[in-house]
Amino acid sequence: MAKKFTLLKRTYPISQIDRPCDGYKYIMENTTEEKRKELGLENLKETIVKGEKYIYQAAKEDKFKYSCISMENFEIIRLNFFGEKDD
């Protein structure tokens, strides 16, 4: 059963530094190489580079958590993992 959480903030800043992409980390930790190939997720980028727009979100579950997700990875994950195509 999924934990309840409260979304505290979601913004779309420009990265001031190179930072790891949490979308990449999530996919790598929760899928096999074969599944990534099957879903078309083998071209995800590991790092959000300085100057790149990204998704920052903060939430509270049992404790405060935040994530940084590359816009490119988010689009790939939405389309190939969740089957949601943006217009």
Side-chain angles (χ1 to χ4, degrees), residues 13-21 47-54 66 68:
I14 304 295
S15 186
Q16 299 299 310
I17 60 169
D18 288 356
R19 64 183 73 235
C21 176
T47 304
I48 299 166
V49 296
K50 181 179 179 181
E52 182 180 351
K53 188 174 188 177
Y54 68 101
Y66 72 91
C68 301

Side-chain angles (χ1 to χ4, degrees), residues 53-69:
K53 188 174 188 177
Y54 68 101
I55 301 167
Y56 170 86
Q57 56 188 23
K60 185 170 187 323
E61 286 179 3
D62 298 333
K63 58 184 178 179
F64 176 79
K65 294 184 178 187
Y66 72 91
S67 66
C68 301
I69 304 170

